[in-house]
Amino acid sequence: MTVQNDYMIDPKLRVLQLVAHHGTVTAAAQALHYTPSAVSHQLRQLAAELGVELIAQSGRGVRLTAAATTVLRHAEVLSAQAERARAELAAATDETEGSFTVCGFSTAATHLLPPAAAALRDHYPHLRVRVIEAEPARCFDLLLAGDADLALLIATDETPPASDTRFDQHPLLDDPLDLVVPEHHHLTERRTVTLADAADESWILGRPGSTYHHLVRTACMAAGFTPDIAHYADEWETGTALVANDFGIILVPRLARLHQDWPVTRIPLRGEPAPARRILAANRLGSRDRPAIATALDTITRTAGTLLPPPAHG
């Protein structure tokens, strides 16, 4: 049985779902690896088959008609039921074949996805397992497009809510954010440190638009201040090297391993709010009972329970 890239419902419905998700034909085409003209053609075909108008131009994007909203509501039900059927069929077979893709952000791709991929390889020797490192927003695109079966991501205010009927989301762990400062920084002398204690510092954040940038800004604003951003660095190693040379401070997830030789101190934060990343697993609704997904989720959940090291300071 092929685990991915087979359709039990009209694939044109998936095209409509991606257009609704992104709001533009161009963005939906990128997510689906189609050309915009191919997406438009599929939408016109679906509209002709159903005898209704589905989209209308609205500025640079498109607007869904009332008929499209109705079709999407039923498409979500059909998609979930198709996933349940495939899961039931897969459970009835002796072997799982085809391909299976897991995706996740960088830390998950380092600590959680390789053990899950290894477990799948051992349990299902005829299954082709693929790992994709991707930002959380991209992970949802991969799930919707059918290019991934299971995703690991960080919850943000842009994450679809738990009530979203397209996905099944499973909390895995909360990953605390530690403050990283130069080793002789004045905050290293304190027994406890809150995020607000670092309000007057120069900060190093990820690039605007990145999950890390959003996470740090949200944490700082919840602590009552807007960070003074001095530098941008997307990689923990780059940011920590800047800290080691007195260019500012950063927040680093507890799961991130830093170079041992850099002259920096990692400080666990106390008080409220103590910032943390909530790490989730997500799959398309209805697919959770598929044997390969159940195996991967079980391995990921057990691995997550062993990951967090103790705080390194105070």
Side-chain angles (χ1 to χ4, degrees), residues 287-306:
S287 66
R288 185 173 184 175
D289 291 334
R290 194 182 306 168
I293 287 182
T295 297
L297 275 175
D298 180 65
T299 302
I300 288 168
T301 301
R302 286 188 285 105
T303 304
T306 68

Side-chain angles (χ1 to χ4, degrees), residues 21 135-138 140-141 144 153-162 164 166-167 169 208-215 218 280:
H21 180 69
E135 280 279 304
R138 177 60 178 154
F140 280 110
D141 285 351
L144 283 174
L153 49 103
I154 301 166
T156 70
D157 62 0
E158 297 178 352
T159 302
D164 191 311
R166 298 171 297 174
F167 305 107
Q169 300 185 41
S210 69
T211 301
Y212 174 57
H213 180 96
H214 175 80
L215 188 68
T218 300
L280 309 171

Side-chain angles (χ1 to χ4, degrees), residues 2-3 73 91 164 217 221 250 268 284 304-305 312:
T2 301
V3 177
R73 187 173 70 251
D164 191 311
R217 278 186 58 89
M221 293 179 72
I250 59 172
R284 288 183 295 278

